[in-house]
Amino acid sequence: MALDAPCRDTVALGPLGQSLGFVLRLAQLTAYDDFFAVTDSLRFKPGEFSVLWVISLNPGIRQSQLGQRLMIKRAHMTKLIRQLEQRGLLTRRIPDSDRRAIELTLTPAGQSAAKAVSSVLFAGEPKPEGGLSDSERKTLLALLQKYVGLPAA
Amino acid sequence: MALDAPCRDTVALGPLGQSLGFVLRLAQLTAYDDFFAVTDSLRFKPGEFSVLWVISLNPGIRQSQLGQRLMIKRAHMTKLIRQLEQRGLLTRRIPDSDRRAIELTLTPAGQSAAKAVSSVLFAGEPKPEGGLSDSERKTLLALLQKYVGLPAA
DNA sequence: TATTGTTATACTCTATAACTATA
DNA sequence: TATAGTTATAGAGTATAACAATA
């Protein structure tokens, strides 16, 4: 408390406050808090969950595809996958068609974990989410999707 | 090359693609690339520049205020400030009114550095910035500002 | 007691490059 | 030669807790 609330708003930002990159960083920190506020005790970080989730939707997906879609670098992807494998959440398989590649599939444990997190994370969706109205949230999302080149679905 | 462009879009994301947190992460990575595409050889990272810039607009600001506004934790702020001080870009002063606090001011070198980066970063603003039109960019920005509780200026 | 800043530790994410094995 | 994945190292950024000095 005594967070000195007025102080925050009296700090001049100038054009920095109009900078997309800067505001995006603040927004991501806010969203990060929202994520943990919802998943809370579930033992996943955002990155881990997104990997788990996308594998559950795309069984047999290869690491490289996963990394490209999630914008996770290959070196980091290796660590992520290894950890999730050690936790018994997924299995790795080398296909005969291309023995360099690795196909990823969730174990039953991984599937139920993905389900558990997604059910609270994607539930209803009227989560904290700042003070945005439903239509504002939709507009924001659509613009962000366009910005990052995601199909607006 | 052979980035397998079709692959990226054939990966199913489900409701994850509608998740604000997830899309914000992609957006921040995109913006990060934009930052370096513009500042390029300038020797600053986004965090360092934002600190430098805000001090230049608020001479004598205290570390705690700076951290609150920029959402940078105190432990990390200490490192950032120390580094910028070692590079001769700012000075730290302990005010008599509260000898726990530290007031920050840019050196002439720091001021010209802030000016140099800001002039390219805030110039015109029609930077890469995805495929967003000018009005889309404004809307996106306004919604993000509302989301993070920034005065829409 | 509470606050400001510091130090130390650890973990996540990223960046890079060298390496292997396959193609 | 190019690609898929691995390993190793380094650096940002963050989280946490313990600490000193000051209020």
mmCIF file of all heavy atoms in Angstrom, chain A residues 91-137:
data_model
loop_
_atom_site.group_PDB
_atom_site.id
_atom_site.type_symbol
_atom_site.label_atom_id
_atom_site.label_comp_id
_atom_site.label_asym_id
_atom_site.label_seq_id
_atom_site.Cartn_x
_atom_site.Cartn_y
_atom_site.Cartn_z
ATOM 1 N N THR A 91 5.442 -37.747 -25.659
ATOM 2 C CA THR A 91 6.412 -38.708 -26.172
ATOM 3 C C THR A 91 6.976 -38.205 -27.490
ATOM 4 O O THR A 91 6.299 -37.490 -28.229
ATOM 5 C CB THR A 91 5.763 -40.085 -26.425
ATOM 6 O OG1 THR A 91 4.661 -39.906 -27.317
ATOM 7 C CG2 THR A 91 5.282 -40.693 -25.126
ATOM 8 N N ARG A 92 8.217 -38.558 -27.765
ATOM 9 C CA ARG A 92 8.891 -38.144 -28.987
ATOM 10 C C ARG A 92 9.091 -39.372 -29.867
ATOM 11 O O ARG A 92 9.494 -40.425 -29.394
ATOM 12 C CB ARG A 92 10.233 -37.506 -28.650
ATOM 13 C CG ARG A 92 10.102 -36.400 -27.580
ATOM 14 C CD ARG A 92 11.433 -35.719 -27.331
ATOM 15 N NE ARG A 92 12.504 -36.677 -27.199
ATOM 16 C CZ ARG A 92 13.680 -36.568 -27.806
ATOM 17 N NH1 ARG A 92 13.912 -35.502 -28.552
ATOM 18 N NH2 ARG A 92 14.596 -37.493 -27.651
ATOM 19 N N ARG A 93 8.819 -39.214 -31.158
ATOM 20 C CA ARG A 93 8.949 -40.343 -32.066
ATOM 21 C C ARG A 93 9.654 -39.903 -33.334
ATOM 22 O O ARG A 93 9.346 -38.842 -33.891
ATOM 23 C CB ARG A 93 7.572 -40.888 -32.425
ATOM 24 C CG ARG A 93 7.601 -42.293 -33.039
ATOM 25 C CD ARG A 93 6.195 -42.737 -33.415
ATOM 26 N NE ARG A 93 5.796 -42.123 -34.688
ATOM 27 C CZ ARG A 93 6.077 -42.651 -35.880
ATOM 28 N NH1 ARG A 93 6.732 -43.785 -35.969
ATOM 29 N NH2 ARG A 93 5.689 -42.041 -36.994
ATOM 30 N N ILE A 94 10.606 -40.691 -33.785
ATOM 31 C CA ILE A 94 11.323 -40.389 -35.025
ATOM 32 C C ILE A 94 10.637 -41.102 -36.171
ATOM 33 O O ILE A 94 10.591 -42.337 -36.180
ATOM 34 C CB ILE A 94 12.802 -40.831 -34.926
ATOM 35 C CG1 ILE A 94 13.496 -40.051 -33.792
ATOM 36 C CG2 ILE A 94 13.513 -40.611 -36.244
ATOM 37 C CD1 ILE A 94 14.932 -40.442 -33.571
ATOM 38 N N PRO A 95 10.093 -40.363 -37.123
ATOM 39 C CA PRO A 95 9.387 -40.991 -38.242
ATOM 40 C C PRO A 95 10.369 -41.602 -39.237
ATOM 41 O O PRO A 95 11.474 -41.094 -39.418
ATOM 42 C CB PRO A 95 8.636 -39.819 -38.873
ATOM 43 C CG PRO A 95 9.471 -38.627 -38.547
ATOM 44 C CD PRO A 95 10.091 -38.898 -37.216
ATOM 45 N N ASP A 96 9.954 -42.687 -39.884
ATOM 46 C CA ASP A 96 10.818 -43.329 -40.873
ATOM 47 C C ASP A 96 11.012 -42.456 -42.107
ATOM 48 O O ASP A 96 12.047 -42.494 -42.751
ATOM 49 C CB ASP A 96 10.211 -44.677 -41.297
ATOM 50 C CG ASP A 96 10.409 -45.728 -40.199
ATOM 51 O OD1 ASP A 96 11.312 -45.508 -39.355
ATOM 52 O OD2 ASP A 96 9.678 -46.722 -40.179
ATOM 53 N N SER A 97 9.981 -41.632 -42.388
ATOM 54 C CA SER A 97 10.029 -40.834 -43.609
ATOM 55 C C SER A 97 11.147 -39.796 -43.563
ATOM 56 O O SER A 97 11.690 -39.411 -44.589
ATOM 57 C CB SER A 97 8.689 -40.131 -43.823
ATOM 58 O OG SER A 97 8.403 -39.303 -42.699
ATOM 59 N N ASP A 98 11.473 -39.328 -42.391
ATOM 60 C CA ASP A 98 12.553 -38.354 -42.239
ATOM 61 C C ASP A 98 13.151 -38.528 -40.854
ATOM 62 O O ASP A 98 12.635 -38.030 -39.862
ATOM 63 C CB ASP A 98 12.019 -36.924 -42.420
ATOM 64 C CG ASP A 98 13.155 -35.893 -42.386
ATOM 65 O OD1 ASP A 98 14.269 -36.238 -41.910
ATOM 66 O OD2 ASP A 98 12.945 -34.770 -42.843
ATOM 67 N N ARG A 99 14.259 -39.227 -40.827
ATOM 68 C CA ARG A 99 14.806 -39.619 -39.534
ATOM 69 C C ARG A 99 15.546 -38.488 -38.822
ATOM 70 O O ARG A 99 16.161 -38.702 -37.779
ATOM 71 C CB ARG A 99 15.703 -40.852 -39.708
ATOM 72 C CG ARG A 99 14.932 -42.056 -40.277
ATOM 73 C CD ARG A 99 15.782 -43.314 -40.383
ATOM 74 N NE ARG A 99 16.581 -43.593 -39.193
ATOM 75 C CZ ARG A 99 16.081 -44.011 -38.042
ATOM 76 N NH1 ARG A 99 14.774 -44.197 -37.923
ATOM 77 N NH2 ARG A 99 16.864 -44.238 -37.020
ATOM 78 N N ARG A 100 15.479 -37.273 -39.393
ATOM 79 C CA ARG A 100 16.033 -36.129 -38.652
ATOM 80 C C ARG A 100 14.974 -35.534 -37.736
ATOM 81 O O ARG A 100 15.274 -34.894 -36.737
ATOM 82 C CB ARG A 100 16.462 -35.022 -39.629
ATOM 83 C CG ARG A 100 17.549 -35.402 -40.577
ATOM 84 C CD ARG A 100 17.703 -34.332 -41.633
ATOM 85 N NE ARG A 100 16.467 -34.125 -42.377
ATOM 86 C CZ ARG A 100 16.337 -33.249 -43.382
ATOM 87 N NH1 ARG A 100 17.375 -32.498 -43.727
ATOM 88 N NH2 ARG A 100 15.206 -33.123 -44.016
ATOM 89 N N ALA A 101 13.728 -35.740 -38.123
ATOM 90 C CA ALA A 101 12.629 -35.049 -37.443
ATOM 91 C C ALA A 101 12.172 -35.784 -36.184
ATOM 92 O O ALA A 101 12.544 -36.924 -35.938
ATOM 93 C CB ALA A 101 11.461 -34.893 -38.396
ATOM 94 N N ILE A 102 11.390 -35.075 -35.390
ATOM 95 C CA ILE A 102 10.806 -35.668 -34.186
ATOM 96 C C ILE A 102 9.339 -35.297 -34.119
ATOM 97 O O ILE A 102 8.991 -34.111 -34.181
ATOM 98 C CB ILE A 102 11.545 -35.178 -32.926
ATOM 99 C CG1 ILE A 102 12.949 -35.766 -32.907
ATOM 100 C CG2 ILE A 102 10.779 -35.560 -31.671
ATOM 101 C CD1 ILE A 102 13.670 -35.581 -31.608
ATOM 102 N N GLU A 103 8.503 -36.313 -34.027
ATOM 103 C CA GLU A 103 7.065 -36.074 -33.941
ATOM 104 C C GLU A 103 6.620 -36.136 -32.487
ATOM 105 O O GLU A 103 7.001 -37.046 -31.748
ATOM 106 C CB GLU A 103 6.310 -37.115 -34.770
ATOM 107 C CG GLU A 103 6.571 -36.974 -36.263
ATOM 108 C CD GLU A 103 5.849 -38.027 -37.072
ATOM 109 O OE1 GLU A 103 5.283 -38.956 -36.459
ATOM 110 O OE2 GLU A 103 5.854 -37.932 -38.316
ATOM 111 N N LEU A 104 5.796 -35.174 -32.112
ATOM 112 C CA LEU A 104 5.408 -35.046 -30.708
ATOM 113 C C LEU A 104 3.952 -35.431 -30.508
ATOM 114 O O LEU A 104 3.076 -35.042 -31.275
ATOM 115 C CB LEU A 104 5.622 -33.600 -30.254
ATOM 116 C CG LEU A 104 7.053 -33.078 -30.451
ATOM 117 C CD1 LEU A 104 7.101 -31.577 -30.248
ATOM 118 C CD2 LEU A 104 8.000 -33.783 -29.504
ATOM 119 N N THR A 105 3.716 -36.190 -29.460
ATOM 120 C CA THR A 105 2.354 -36.593 -29.106
ATOM 121 C C THR A 105 2.211 -36.540 -27.595
ATOM 122 O O THR A 105 3.160 -36.838 -26.865
ATOM 123 C CB THR A 105 2.074 -38.035 -29.578
ATOM 124 O OG1 THR A 105 2.565 -38.205 -30.913
ATOM 125 C CG2 THR A 105 0.580 -38.337 -29.527
ATOM 126 N N LEU A 106 1.037 -36.151 -27.131
ATOM 127 C CA LEU A 106 0.815 -36.102 -25.686
ATOM 128 C C LEU A 106 0.520 -37.494 -25.137
ATOM 129 O O LEU A 106 -0.121 -38.308 -25.797
ATOM 130 C CB LEU A 106 -0.361 -35.176 -25.356
ATOM 131 C CG LEU A 106 -0.190 -33.688 -25.659
ATOM 132 C CD1 LEU A 106 -1.304 -32.898 -24.979
ATOM 133 C CD2 LEU A 106 1.169 -33.184 -25.197
ATOM 134 N N THR A 107 0.982 -37.743 -23.956
ATOM 135 C CA THR A 107 0.570 -38.936 -23.224
ATOM 136 C C THR A 107 -0.819 -38.658 -22.635
ATOM 137 O O THR A 107 -1.270 -37.514 -22.628
ATOM 138 C CB THR A 107 1.542 -39.214 -22.066
ATOM 139 O OG1 THR A 107 1.500 -38.098 -21.177
ATOM 140 C CG2 THR A 107 2.948 -39.399 -22.581
ATOM 141 N N PRO A 108 -1.492 -39.681 -22.156
ATOM 142 C CA PRO A 108 -2.772 -39.434 -21.471
ATOM 143 C C PRO A 108 -2.617 -38.396 -20.366
ATOM 144 O O PRO A 108 -3.473 -37.512 -20.212
ATOM 145 C CB PRO A 108 -3.119 -40.819 -20.910
ATOM 146 C CG PRO A 108 -2.494 -41.778 -21.870
ATOM 147 C CD PRO A 108 -1.217 -41.121 -22.315
ATOM 148 N N ALA A 109 -1.522 -38.471 -19.615
ATOM 149 C CA ALA A 109 -1.283 -37.478 -18.552
ATOM 150 C C ALA A 109 -1.184 -36.081 -19.139
ATOM 151 O O ALA A 109 -1.728 -35.121 -18.589
ATOM 152 C CB ALA A 109 -0.006 -37.820 -17.789
ATOM 153 N N GLY A 110 -0.489 -35.980 -20.272
ATOM 154 C CA GLY A 110 -0.350 -34.678 -20.920
ATOM 155 C C GLY A 110 -1.683 -34.158 -21.409
ATOM 156 O O GLY A 110 -1.970 -32.963 -21.313
ATOM 157 N N GLN A 111 -2.487 -35.065 -21.940
ATOM 158 C CA GLN A 111 -3.797 -34.644 -22.442
ATOM 159 C C GLN A 111 -4.690 -34.123 -21.334
ATOM 160 O O GLN A 111 -5.352 -33.090 -21.479
ATOM 161 C CB GLN A 111 -4.479 -35.814 -23.157
ATOM 162 C CG GLN A 111 -3.862 -36.106 -24.528
ATOM 163 C CD GLN A 111 -4.455 -37.346 -25.168
ATOM 164 O OE1 GLN A 111 -5.444 -37.890 -24.692
ATOM 165 N NE2 GLN A 111 -3.838 -37.788 -26.260
ATOM 166 N N SER A 112 -4.676 -34.811 -20.205
ATOM 167 C CA SER A 112 -5.565 -34.345 -19.138
ATOM 168 C C SER A 112 -5.028 -33.051 -18.532
ATOM 169 O O SER A 112 -5.801 -32.187 -18.101
ATOM 170 C CB SER A 112 -5.756 -35.429 -18.077
ATOM 171 O OG SER A 112 -4.522 -35.788 -17.512
ATOM 172 N N ALA A 113 -3.702 -32.896 -18.532
ATOM 173 C CA ALA A 113 -3.127 -31.642 -18.043
ATOM 174 C C ALA A 113 -3.533 -30.486 -18.950
ATOM 175 O O ALA A 113 -3.964 -29.430 -18.480
ATOM 176 C CB ALA A 113 -1.601 -31.750 -17.974
ATOM 177 N N ALA A 114 -3.410 -30.702 -20.265
ATOM 178 C CA ALA A 114 -3.786 -29.658 -21.219
ATOM 179 C C ALA A 114 -5.260 -29.298 -21.068
ATOM 180 O O ALA A 114 -5.641 -28.123 -21.109
ATOM 181 C CB ALA A 114 -3.502 -30.121 -22.648
ATOM 182 N N LYS A 115 -6.048 -30.320 -20.864
ATOM 183 C CA LYS A 115 -7.486 -30.112 -20.703
ATOM 184 C C LYS A 115 -7.775 -29.301 -19.438
ATOM 185 O O LYS A 115 -8.584 -28.368 -19.454
ATOM 186 C CB LYS A 115 -8.184 -31.471 -20.634
ATOM 187 C CG LYS A 115 -9.678 -31.438 -20.928
ATOM 188 C CD LYS A 115 -10.228 -32.863 -21.052
ATOM 189 C CE LYS A 115 -11.675 -32.875 -21.515
ATOM 190 N NZ LYS A 115 -12.149 -34.263 -21.742
ATOM 191 N N ALA A 116 -7.096 -29.668 -18.364
ATOM 192 C CA ALA A 116 -7.337 -29.005 -17.087
ATOM 193 C C ALA A 116 -7.016 -27.516 -17.171
ATOM 194 O O ALA A 116 -7.802 -26.662 -16.755
ATOM 195 C CB ALA A 116 -6.498 -29.669 -15.989
ATOM 196 N N VAL A 117 -5.834 -27.208 -17.735
ATOM 197 C CA VAL A 117 -5.455 -25.796 -17.823
ATOM 198 C C VAL A 117 -6.366 -25.043 -18.776
ATOM 199 O O VAL A 117 -6.849 -23.952 -18.469
ATOM 200 C CB VAL A 117 -3.993 -25.643 -18.280
ATOM 201 C CG1 VAL A 117 -3.617 -24.178 -18.371
ATOM 202 C CG2 VAL A 117 -3.063 -26.359 -17.330
ATOM 203 N N SER A 118 -6.635 -25.652 -19.946
ATOM 204 C CA SER A 118 -7.436 -24.940 -20.940
ATOM 205 C C SER A 118 -8.846 -24.678 -20.442
ATOM 206 O O SER A 118 -9.440 -23.650 -20.773
ATOM 207 C CB SER A 118 -7.480 -25.732 -22.246
ATOM 208 O OG SER A 118 -8.235 -26.909 -22.088
ATOM 209 N N SER A 119 -9.367 -25.593 -19.645
ATOM 210 C CA SER A 119 -10.754 -25.421 -19.195
ATOM 211 C C SER A 119 -10.895 -24.198 -18.307
ATOM 212 O O SER A 119 -11.920 -23.516 -18.354
ATOM 213 C CB SER A 119 -11.232 -26.681 -18.469
ATOM 214 O OG SER A 119 -10.571 -26.811 -17.234
ATOM 215 N N VAL A 120 -9.857 -23.904 -17.508
ATOM 216 C CA VAL A 120 -9.957 -22.692 -16.689
ATOM 217 C C VAL A 120 -9.510 -21.469 -17.487
ATOM 218 O O VAL A 120 -10.037 -20.375 -17.332
ATOM 219 C CB VAL A 120 -9.136 -22.792 -15.385
ATOM 220 C CG1 VAL A 120 -9.580 -23.980 -14.568
ATOM 221 C CG2 VAL A 120 -7.657 -22.847 -15.669
ATOM 222 N N LEU A 121 -8.523 -21.690 -18.401
ATOM 223 C CA LEU A 121 -7.966 -20.548 -19.119
ATOM 224 C C LEU A 121 -8.914 -20.023 -20.184
ATOM 225 O O LEU A 121 -9.030 -18.813 -20.391
ATOM 226 C CB LEU A 121 -6.640 -20.954 -19.766
ATOM 227 C CG LEU A 121 -5.757 -19.803 -20.243
ATOM 228 C CD1 LEU A 121 -5.342 -18.953 -19.061
ATOM 229 C CD2 LEU A 121 -4.542 -20.339 -20.962
ATOM 230 N N PHE A 122 -9.593 -20.928 -20.862
ATOM 231 C CA PHE A 122 -10.475 -20.512 -21.948
ATOM 232 C C PHE A 122 -11.933 -20.467 -21.511
ATOM 233 O O PHE A 122 -12.835 -20.337 -22.340
ATOM 234 C CB PHE A 122 -10.327 -21.464 -23.143
ATOM 235 C CG PHE A 122 -8.926 -21.543 -23.674
ATOM 236 C CD1 PHE A 122 -8.388 -22.742 -24.095
ATOM 237 C CD2 PHE A 122 -8.127 -20.397 -23.743
ATOM 238 C CE1 PHE A 122 -7.086 -22.812 -24.585
ATOM 239 C CE2 PHE A 122 -6.831 -20.468 -24.224
ATOM 240 C CZ PHE A 122 -6.307 -21.678 -24.645
ATOM 241 N N ALA A 123 -12.151 -20.582 -20.224
ATOM 242 C CA ALA A 123 -13.525 -20.633 -19.725
ATOM 243 C C ALA A 123 -14.171 -19.260 -19.814
ATOM 244 O O ALA A 123 -13.675 -18.299 -19.252
ATOM 245 C CB ALA A 123 -13.548 -21.128 -18.285
ATOM 246 N N GLY A 124 -15.320 -19.215 -20.504
ATOM 247 C CA GLY A 124 -16.077 -17.969 -20.546
ATOM 248 C C GLY A 124 -15.270 -16.819 -21.103
ATOM 249 O O GLY A 124 -15.731 -16.111 -21.970
ATOM 250 N N GLU A 125 -14.060 -16.649 -20.607
ATOM 251 C CA GLU A 125 -13.142 -15.596 -21.049
ATOM 252 C C GLU A 125 -13.399 -14.238 -20.402
ATOM 253 O O GLU A 125 -12.570 -13.351 -20.555
ATOM 254 C CB GLU A 125 -13.154 -15.428 -22.585
ATOM 255 C CG GLU A 125 -12.364 -16.504 -23.320
ATOM 256 C CD GLU A 125 -10.877 -16.233 -23.324
ATOM 257 O OE1 GLU A 125 -10.427 -15.381 -22.550
ATOM 258 O OE2 GLU A 125 -10.153 -16.864 -24.092
ATOM 259 N N PRO A 126 -14.532 -14.021 -19.715
ATOM 260 C CA PRO A 126 -14.616 -12.717 -19.057
ATOM 261 C C PRO A 126 -13.790 -12.748 -17.781
ATOM 262 O O PRO A 126 -14.303 -12.796 -16.684
ATOM 263 C CB PRO A 126 -16.112 -12.543 -18.766
ATOM 264 C CG PRO A 126 -16.665 -13.926 -18.740
ATOM 265 C CD PRO A 126 -15.689 -14.851 -19.414
ATOM 266 N N LYS A 127 -12.474 -12.802 -17.985
ATOM 267 C CA LYS A 127 -11.534 -12.827 -16.872
ATOM 268 C C LYS A 127 -11.244 -11.395 -16.472
ATOM 269 O O LYS A 127 -11.869 -10.479 -16.965
ATOM 270 C CB LYS A 127 -10.251 -13.530 -17.322
ATOM 271 C CG LYS A 127 -10.402 -15.021 -17.440
ATOM 272 C CD LYS A 127 -9.265 -15.609 -18.229
ATOM 273 C CE LYS A 127 -9.218 -15.063 -19.629
ATOM 274 N NZ LYS A 127 -8.223 -15.677 -20.486
ATOM 275 N N PRO A 128 -10.274 -11.205 -15.591
ATOM 276 C CA PRO A 128 -9.901 -9.837 -15.225
ATOM 277 C C PRO A 128 -9.848 -8.910 -16.443
ATOM 278 O O PRO A 128 -10.729 -8.105 -16.662
ATOM 279 C CB PRO A 128 -8.505 -10.011 -14.612
ATOM 280 C CG PRO A 128 -8.332 -11.460 -14.326
ATOM 281 C CD PRO A 128 -9.478 -12.208 -14.863
ATOM 282 N N GLU A 129 -8.790 -9.074 -17.228
ATOM 283 C CA GLU A 129 -8.642 -8.396 -18.513
ATOM 284 C C GLU A 129 -8.884 -6.890 -18.478
ATOM 285 O O GLU A 129 -9.718 -6.347 -19.225
ATOM 286 C CB GLU A 129 -9.566 -9.038 -19.528
ATOM 287 C CG GLU A 129 -8.862 -9.336 -20.827
ATOM 288 C CD GLU A 129 -8.965 -10.812 -21.175
ATOM 289 O OE1 GLU A 129 -10.016 -11.231 -21.569
ATOM 290 O OE2 GLU A 129 -7.948 -11.525 -21.067
ATOM 291 N N GLY A 130 -8.157 -6.259 -17.625
ATOM 292 C CA GLY A 130 -8.187 -4.802 -17.567
ATOM 293 C C GLY A 130 -9.597 -4.286 -17.412
ATOM 294 O O GLY A 130 -10.428 -4.901 -16.785
ATOM 295 N N GLY A 131 -9.904 -3.179 -17.998
ATOM 296 C CA GLY A 131 -11.254 -2.656 -17.928
ATOM 297 C C GLY A 131 -11.899 -2.704 -19.295
ATOM 298 O O GLY A 131 -12.750 -1.888 -19.613
ATOM 299 N N LEU A 132 -11.483 -3.670 -20.108
ATOM 300 C CA LEU A 132 -11.971 -3.709 -21.478
ATOM 301 C C LEU A 132 -13.366 -4.313 -21.560
ATOM 302 O O LEU A 132 -13.649 -5.323 -20.915
ATOM 303 C CB LEU A 132 -11.023 -4.531 -22.357
ATOM 304 C CG LEU A 132 -9.626 -3.977 -22.577
ATOM 305 C CD1 LEU A 132 -8.879 -4.843 -23.571
ATOM 306 C CD2 LEU A 132 -9.672 -2.546 -23.050
ATOM 307 N N SER A 133 -14.208 -3.714 -22.357
ATOM 308 C CA SER A 133 -15.513 -4.306 -22.633
ATOM 309 C C SER A 133 -15.316 -5.473 -23.591
ATOM 310 O O SER A 133 -14.223 -5.679 -24.124
ATOM 311 C CB SER A 133 -16.437 -3.277 -23.265
ATOM 312 O OG SER A 133 -16.070 -3.073 -24.620
ATOM 313 N N ASP A 134 -16.362 -6.228 -23.792
ATOM 314 C CA ASP A 134 -16.253 -7.402 -24.635
ATOM 315 C C ASP A 134 -15.902 -7.028 -26.072
ATOM 316 O O ASP A 134 -15.069 -7.668 -26.708
ATOM 317 C CB ASP A 134 -17.576 -8.182 -24.594
ATOM 318 C CG ASP A 134 -17.347 -9.649 -24.919
ATOM 319 O OD1 ASP A 134 -16.435 -10.245 -24.307
ATOM 320 O OD2 ASP A 134 -18.061 -10.173 -25.788
ATOM 321 N N SER A 135 -16.543 -5.976 -26.562
ATOM 322 C CA SER A 135 -16.279 -5.606 -27.957
ATOM 323 C C SER A 135 -14.891 -4.985 -28.096
ATOM 324 O O SER A 135 -14.217 -5.158 -29.108
ATOM 325 C CB SER A 135 -17.354 -4.650 -28.463
ATOM 326 O OG SER A 135 -17.184 -3.380 -27.888
ATOM 327 N N GLU A 136 -14.467 -4.271 -27.067
ATOM 328 C CA GLU A 136 -13.115 -3.706 -27.106
ATOM 329 C C GLU A 136 -12.077 -4.819 -27.136
ATOM 330 O O GLU A 136 -11.082 -4.762 -27.866
ATOM 331 C CB GLU A 136 -12.883 -2.809 -25.884
ATOM 332 C CG GLU A 136 -13.575 -1.464 -25.977
ATOM 333 C CD GLU A 136 -13.441 -0.661 -24.697
ATOM 334 O OE1 GLU A 136 -13.363 -1.271 -23.609
ATOM 335 O OE2 GLU A 136 -13.412 0.568 -24.783
ATOM 336 N N ARG A 137 -12.332 -5.829 -26.329
ATOM 337 C CA ARG A 137 -11.404 -6.954 -26.293
ATOM 338 C C ARG A 137 -11.319 -7.617 -27.664
ATOM 339 O O ARG A 137 -10.241 -7.979 -28.125
ATOM 340 C CB ARG A 137 -11.880 -7.970 -25.251
ATOM 341 C CG ARG A 137 -10.886 -9.079 -25.027
ATOM 342 C CD ARG A 137 -11.446 -10.190 -24.162
ATOM 343 N NE ARG A 137 -10.517 -11.287 -24.118
ATOM 344 C CZ ARG A 137 -10.350 -12.167 -25.103
ATOM 345 N NH1 ARG A 137 -11.075 -12.040 -26.184
ATOM 346 N NH2 ARG A 137 -9.471 -13.140 -25.013
#
